[in-house]
Amino acid sequence: AVLEYDINNHNLSRLLSITQMFSEDVVLAFNLESEQGKLLFDELKHAYVNVRYKDGYEAERNAVERLIEIVKQLMGIAEGLYQKHMLTSNL
């Protein structure tokens, strides 16, 4: 929405980099400075691919539970960024 361009990209690392042009909040939600944050982001990237291409793929339950909380945060962050953009672009 901010770029006013339909990004047709499924590379989560690239999407994260694009998002960083507008906010560091997404990176902070994953806590990528920590080893645990990096591992969770890697788990998300692998699950994103494997769930589509590997029959019977199951992610580690503990990682999924932690990622659910991060994704909830991301939804709030994305909504806030979108609302801010809409507010400032309509002035």
Side-chain angles (χ1 to χ4, degrees), residues 9-66:
N9 185 322
H10 296 276
N11 181 315
L12 296 182
S13 294
R14 180 171 285 160
L15 291 171
L16 186 64
S17 294
I18 292 168
T19 304
Q20 280 182 282
M21 291 189 292
F22 308 101
S23 173
E24 287 292 318
D25 292 345
V26 174
V27 174
L28 295 174
F30 276 105
N31 192 20
L32 293 176
E33 297 295 320
S34 73
E35 192 61 34
Q36 183 180 24
K38 290 176 190 174
L39 290 173
L40 280 174
F41 189 67
D42 285 343
E43 180 71 29
L44 180 63
K45 290 189 300 186
H46 289 101
Y48 184 73
V49 171
N50 290 331
V51 77
R52 293 183 293 161
Y53 300 113
K54 292 186 178 180
D55 290 338
Y57 172 78
E58 290 187 29
E60 178 189 320
R61 183 176 185 84
N62 188 28
V64 170
E65 289 172 352
R66 294 189 328 235

